[in-house]
């Protein structure tokens, strides 16, 4: 692969460490040191202000603005986009000593150190500020967002004068003045400023969507004087004076509470007011140390059931723990109605939109780590079914066409070739429902939430496709599959394969319900207005779905005509050309057989048990050399399949790329925010790759391998209200559960009944990397 690591942070198994500050990595570090709790997120910017390049980013899940586009003359084109709007900087701080303002872009400083502790979610930063007059002030900053109280964030500043006594002026408060970085505009109006002793609050309202954020903060510390900072329309701040004495430490602590108002219906206004009052009241009881302790407890439980341990490879130990940590920061079942943006709450790239990969990549992580979060992801899709139906109608389809990019449920990708041609968001929802039902067996969820979506998606699939000229084969024309380097193609293999799966699964669910609970079946038929002959039509389409396949070579053709495309040697592309979207003309990308990310290999992983190892091998060896891995979704899929094919060194190289995509800035765009889906895919890389787990067959199966560089590794799977512990060393693998329960798994093709006592199996020679 042409991409290279750009390693900056110090390797540590439980921490991400920055020793010394390099401004060239400033915005990369801001992304890496982001904190979040699903409800809100904040980048790792310097709270005291910084005049160099910086993205001061503070975001709230589901709080967005919209921007109108020039209306197109063509039907189905999107004329409005939604974007997660940059919100209140609740860490706002300014410091002044002897008239000199602290600014690490201009000020003199030494002993800079910043540490993100993955065990407790606390970010610390320290350095010594040297003023032009020779005064030396040691500063320590500490911040975290509460995982137990999702509306709450906390900040502490510790000041120690090393060679002087004197007054320090410190401003602290709430700042709604930030520009939305990508649009260079501010989207907030502010009102209801309240200032009391050691207390501030302010309400920000988005200019167009009229959503609101109530922010309040309480101050604790050793300040001798405090005054309000005036003449700032969108800033509520206090001016504190600290009387410093040489070698004596002073502290300022700020506890912040936020309440968001997403639903702008008039009937919800009173609920928002009441929630603000309750937040103010609860805020009186919060203190920094107690919140920090509860955060440590919360994270301790996470690591207790979701930790992955690697012996002999500290670099990837740090990498995979960072991935797990950021996944729980991004989403943890805190609130129904939230989804996962491509960058989570760490940056503005992709506008904070959620994409099709939520169900295909992120859902498996939560299915085996936090079941409620997995359920909430699917509930979001159910809640936005009306918008998906409206979108289908605009594209001349029946049923539901789920958006390729969304915040509210509406399509907000203004690139028609993606918004109108990609069906994988809809089939991804169907896959997610299937996966959830397969792992949980929850029929109530399937009937109440899953089946209405399946029926409407199937209706769309039945009207978006067409029969061939001879009427013999059904498929999808003028589409774009997961490989976004091929546009307006016919019979994309992934799309047709997933279309067949969706139709068949919907029919299976209906047939099972008809047999097991005919009364509810009739209710659904009537409620969903399933027409006579509709199911028979779906069955005929599924049976005759065209799947491009070369029987002699046993290779699936990515789309009709792909085998005849001009070839390009992807290994010869200079590293400076990445990302290609920024350096190549748009049409140039589409004029060859280069692949952005796995397409055929994607469905071979999702439905692995449907293919022989030999067929997987032939397709892997055909498509892998053509893949440029421009998408962060790509390396892990290749690593997982390489492990299955016993290409152990290749699997390990892809794995390193996946787990450290952002930490080592492989795509040279970490400054824009973290690649959340690649974090989930990195987890899959351990579990489905080296762990050899498969979840698409009759029962969970495992075929663990171990990279040569590792002494061993261990992981945990939350499954059927139990935890499966898997421990792998150079020669053996052991399995056990944390409580007695009848759980059966397959290991290297043989069935095993698990218990609290470890079952030890020898690793076959071919699986030892």
């Amino acid at each position: 692969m042409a991409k290279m690591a750009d390693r900056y942070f110090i390797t540590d198994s439980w921490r991400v460490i920055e020793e010394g500050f390099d401004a060239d990595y400033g915005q990369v570090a801001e992304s890496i040191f982001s904190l979040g709790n699903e409800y809100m997120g904040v980048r790792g910017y310097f709270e005291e202000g910084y005049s160099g390049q910086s993205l001061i980013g503070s975001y709230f899940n589901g709080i967005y603005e919209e921007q109108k586009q020039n209306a197109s003359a063509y039907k189905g084109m999107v004329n409005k986009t939604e974007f997660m709007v940059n919100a209140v900087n609740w860490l706002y701080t300014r410091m002044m000593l002897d008239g000199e303002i602290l600014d690490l872009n201009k000020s003199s400083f030494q002993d800079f150190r910043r540490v993100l502790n993955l065990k407790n979610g606390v970010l610390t930063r320290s350095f010594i500020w040297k003023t032009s007059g020779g005064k030396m002030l040691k500063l320590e900053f500490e911040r975290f967002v509460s995982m137990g109280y999702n509306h709450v964030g906390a900040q502490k500043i510790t000041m120690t004068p090393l060679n002087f006594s004197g007054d320090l002026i410190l401003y602290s408060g709430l700042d709604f003045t930030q520009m939305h970085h990508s649009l260079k505009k501010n989207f907030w109006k502010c009102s209801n400023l309240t200032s009391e002793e050691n207390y501030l609050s302010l309400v920000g309202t988005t200019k167009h969507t009229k959503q609101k954020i109530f922010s309040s903060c309480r101050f604790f510390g050793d300040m001798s004087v405090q005054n309000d900072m005036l003449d700032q329309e969108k800033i509520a701040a206090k001016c504190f004076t600290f009387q410093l004495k040489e070698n004596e430490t002073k502290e300022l602590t700020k506890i912040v509470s936020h309440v968001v108002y997403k639903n702008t219906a008039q009937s919800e206004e009173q609920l928002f007011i009441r929630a603000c009052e309750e937040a103010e009241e609860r805020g009186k009881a919060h203190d920094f140390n107690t919140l920090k302790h509860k955060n440590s407890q919360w994270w301790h439980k996470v690591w207790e059931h979701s930790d992955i341990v690697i012996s002999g490879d500290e670099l990837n130990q740090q990498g995979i723990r960072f991935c797990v940590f950021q996944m729980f920061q991004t989403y943890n079942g805190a609130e129904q109605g939230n989804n996962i943006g491509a960058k989570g709450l760490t940056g503005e790239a992709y506008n904070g939109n959620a994409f099709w990969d939520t169900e295909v990549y992120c859902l498996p992580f939560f299915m085996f780590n936090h079941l409620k979060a997995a359920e909430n992801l699917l509930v979001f899709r159910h809640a936005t079914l009306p918008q998906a139906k409206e979108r289908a109608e605009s594209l001349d389809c029946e049923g539901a066409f789920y958006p390729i990019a969304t915040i509210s449920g509406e399509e907000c990708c203004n690139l028609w070739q993606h918004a109108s041609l990609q069906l994988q968001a809809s089939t991804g929802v169907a896959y997610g429902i299937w996966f959830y039902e397969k792992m949980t067996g929850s029929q109530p969820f399937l009937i109440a939430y899953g089946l209405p979506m399946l029926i409407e998606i199937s209706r769309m699939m039945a009207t978006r496709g067409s029969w061939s000229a001879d009427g013999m084969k059904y498929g999808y024309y003028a589409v774009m599959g997961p490989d976004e380097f091929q546009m307006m193609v016919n019979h994309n293999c992934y799309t047709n394969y997933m279309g067949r799966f969706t139709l068949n699964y919907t029919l299976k669910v209906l047939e099972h319900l008809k047999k097991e609970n005919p009364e509810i079946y009739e209710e659904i038929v009537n409620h969903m207005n399933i027409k006579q002959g509709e199911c028979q039509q779906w069955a005929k389409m599924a049976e005759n779905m065209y799947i491009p396949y070369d029987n002699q070579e046993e290779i699936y053709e990515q789309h009709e005509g792909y085998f005849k495309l001009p070839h390009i040697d992807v290994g010869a592309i200079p590293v400076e050309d990445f990302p290609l979207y920024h350096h190549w003309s748009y049409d140039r990308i589409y004029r060859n057989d280069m692949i952005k990310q796995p397409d055929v290999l994607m469905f071979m992983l999702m439905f692995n048990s449907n293919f022989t190892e030999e067929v997987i091998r032939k397709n892997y060896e055909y498509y892998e050399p053509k893949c440029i891995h421009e998408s962060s979704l790509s390396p892990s899929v290749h690593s997982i399949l390489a492990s299955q094919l016993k290409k152990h060194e290749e699997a390990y190289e892809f794995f390193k790329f996946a787990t450290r995509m952002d930490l080592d800035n492989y795509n040279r765009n970490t400054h824009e925010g973290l690649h959340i889906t690649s974090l989930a895919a990195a987890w899959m890389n351990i579990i489905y790759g080296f762990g050899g787990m498969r979840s698409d067959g009759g029962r969970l199966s495992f075929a663990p391998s171990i990279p040569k560089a590792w002494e061993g590794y261990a992981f945990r799977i939350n499954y059927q209200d139990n935890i499966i512990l898997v421990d792998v060393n150079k020669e053996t693998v052991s399995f056990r559960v944390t409580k007695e329960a009848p759980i059966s798994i397959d290991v290297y093709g043989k069935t095993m009944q698990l218990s609290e006592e470890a079952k030890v199996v020898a690793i076959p020679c071919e699986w030892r990397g």
Side-chain angles (χ1 to χ4, degrees), residues 584-650:
W584 283 23
S585 68
Y586 191 58
D587 66 292
R588 179 184 175 191
I589 290 172
Y590 296 97
R591 302 197 302 252
N592 49 67
D593 65 349
M594 178 174 58
I595 297 171
K596 178 184 178 183
Q597 64 197 71
D599 198 296
V600 168
L601 298 184
M602 189 71 238
F603 68 75
M604 286 191 159
L605 174 59
M606 294 163 65
F607 300 98
N608 197 257
S609 61
N610 291 352
F611 306 97
T612 67
E613 185 172 314
E614 185 59 24
V615 168
I616 294 172
R617 180 182 302 278
K618 288 182 177 181
N619 282 268
Y620 179 92
E621 291 177 352
Y622 179 80
Y623 284 109
E624 189 281 324
K626 296 174 172 60
C627 187
I628 201 66
H629 306 287
E630 184 79 344
S631 168
S632 64
L633 307 180
S634 184
S636 288
V637 174
H638 285 84
S639 179
I640 292 168
L641 293 177
S643 287
Q644 180 179 1
L645 299 173
K646 305 175 186 66
K647 297 175 180 284
H648 300 300
E649 291 185 9
E650 197 168 319

Side-chain angles (χ1 to χ4, degrees), residues 12-28:
D12 184 278
S13 59
W14 278 108
R15 299 175 298 169
V16 180
I17 303 170
E18 181 184 23
E19 291 276 11
F21 176 64
D22 185 337
D24 289 341
Y25 291 88
Q27 288 182 277
V28 170

Side-chain angles (χ1 to χ4, degrees), residues 510-551:
L510 285 169
E511 186 62 32
H512 181 267
L513 186 62
K514 182 179 181 179
K515 180 180 178 181
E516 298 296 325
N517 203 325
E519 290 184 6
I520 293 180
Y521 171 79
E522 288 299 327
E523 286 179 16
I524 288 176
V525 167
N526 293 329
H527 178 70
M528 299 296 297
N529 194 25
I530 299 177
K531 303 178 185 67
Q532 188 173 9
E534 193 171 12
C535 290
Q536 289 88 334
Q537 183 188 32
W538 297 349
K540 183 180 179 182
M541 291 171 174
E543 183 180 359
N544 293 282
M545 188 71 68
Y546 175 53
I547 307 295
Y549 182 67
D550 185 324
N551 286 291

